[in-house]
Amino acid sequence: MTDGSTFVQAFIILFREGLEALLVIAALAAFLRRANAAERIAPVYAGALAAVAASVVMAWVFATYYDGNHSDLFEAAVMLAAAVLLFYMSGWMFVRQDPKAWQADLNRLAERALGAGTVLSLAGIAFLAVFREGAETILFVHALAKTANGFDASLLSGLAAAALALVAMFVAMQWLALRLPLRPMFIVTSAFLFFMGLRMVGEAFQELQEQALIPFTTEGMPAFVSDWGLSNGSWEALGTQLVILAVAVAAALVSLLRKGSGKGSGKDAEDAREGRPVSAAS
């Protein structure tokens, strides 16, 4: 195997496997900075570092006891757990998107809203996002080293280039987030985490279908569904994702309607206190 081929393969392995995890962590870090809670980023990074350590352990277990083959059921469980946390944080951010509520007293609100339970969820998301990719990345790199010339300069430089590319993407996301208005930042981050949760549901279905625990029906499935990464290409996965999406849209509409009615009631109460006429629409 040529040095150039080893470099490219090493780069692709780390960049591909690390991209989704990095995007999730970058989105969470950017959100915390915009919420004026940068001191709460530490648990997110701690969760990611703990996942790296756990990935090394799991890679050793797979290599020692399973001949380097990962467990589909284990991966499916990790993905579903990560999806649940991603959906939770997506909804949490969507509900707290009102910039007036945050900017009125941002420090106090951030301290109250970003409590221990929320911070634990953030750390959990970071852990699962990295852990689901980590052990697989280590096994792939180890296999590449065995088929090439070991951990030579070409392989290590490929990994280094991928790491630099991921860091550049992380910095770019932080820079962009600091320049976005607060409400769009919350909405975009919420939508991104929700989309990542849907993808993980599709990937979990893929693992379960490989074990023949769930049927795999593709007849009549439009090609763009799998080409765009919207699903794993089966009706079972897509149907589940659409149900989750419908529930999320309904919940979002209910939340927006409640906020609208709450603002109206609050304005009427303020008008009454100030002696102003209450709107007829009330």
Side-chain angles (χ1 to χ4, degrees), residues 2-3 31 34 58 66 77-78 94 124 160 163 181 218 232 241 262 271:
T2 65
D3 290 346
F31 155 74
R34 287 310 314 273
M58 286 306 303
Y66 299 98
V78 171
F94 183 82
T218 60
N232 73 341
Q241 290 169 317
D271 288 343

Side-chain angles (χ1 to χ4, degrees), residues 7 30 49 66 90 97 104 109 113 134-135 145 152 160-161 164-165 173 185 200 226-227 231 242 244 259 264 278:
F7 175 91
L49 290 175
Y66 299 98
S90 173
Q97 65 177 268
L109 286 173
D152 60 359
L164 288 175
M173 284 192 68
M185 174 62 193
M200 287 193 179
S226 56
D227 291 343
S231 182
L242 290 176
I244 294 172
K259 283 184 179 180
V278 176

Side-chain angles (χ1 to χ4, degrees), residues 25-195:
I25 293 170
L28 294 176
F31 155 74
L32 288 169
R33 285 194 174 91
R34 287 310 314 273
N36 202 30
E39 73 281 358
R40 307 281 181 129
I41 296 177
V44 174
Y45 294 156
L49 290 175
V52 172
S55 296
V56 172
V57 173
M58 286 306 303
W60 176 82
V61 170
F62 290 147
T64 304
Y65 298 103
Y66 299 98
D67 297 323
N69 297 316
H70 66 273
S71 169
D72 291 333
L73 294 179
F74 181 76
E75 284 204 4
V78 171
M79 291 175 190
L80 289 175
V84 169
L85 284 176
L86 286 167
F87 291 145
Y88 168 76
M89 285 307 304
S90 173
W92 187 92
M93 292 178 188
F94 183 82
V95 169
R96 289 163 175 80
Q97 65 177 268
D98 186 0
K100 292 181 180 178
W102 281 88
Q103 291 173 346
D105 190 356
L106 200 51
N107 287 327
R108 178 178 59 82
L109 286 173
E111 183 68 25
R112 184 178 65 188
L114 293 172
T118 302
V119 171
L120 187 61
S121 296
L122 293 170
I125 290 174
F127 178 89
L128 292 172
V130 174
F131 183 63
R132 66 175 291 265
E133 305 289 355
E136 205 167 65
T137 301
I138 294 169
L139 289 173
F140 286 158
V141 171
H142 180 68
L144 177 61
K146 288 176 65 177
T147 57
N149 298 317
F151 286 89
D152 60 359
S154 179
L155 188 148
L156 292 176
S157 59
L159 295 177
L164 288 175
L166 291 172
V167 169
M169 291 192 65
F170 180 90
V171 173
M173 284 192 68
Q174 306 309 299
W175 178 86
L176 178 62
L178 291 174
R179 283 153 181 78
L180 282 176
L182 197 61
R183 185 189 290 272
M185 174 62 193
F186 273 50
I187 294 176
V188 169
T189 304
S190 172
F192 170 75
L193 293 181
F194 185 81
F195 175 75

Side-chain angles (χ1 to χ4, degrees), residues 1 16 111 130 155 191 208 223 254 265 280:
M1 185 179 292
R16 180 192 63 202
E111 183 68 25
V130 174
L155 188 148
L208 295 173
V254 170
S265 300

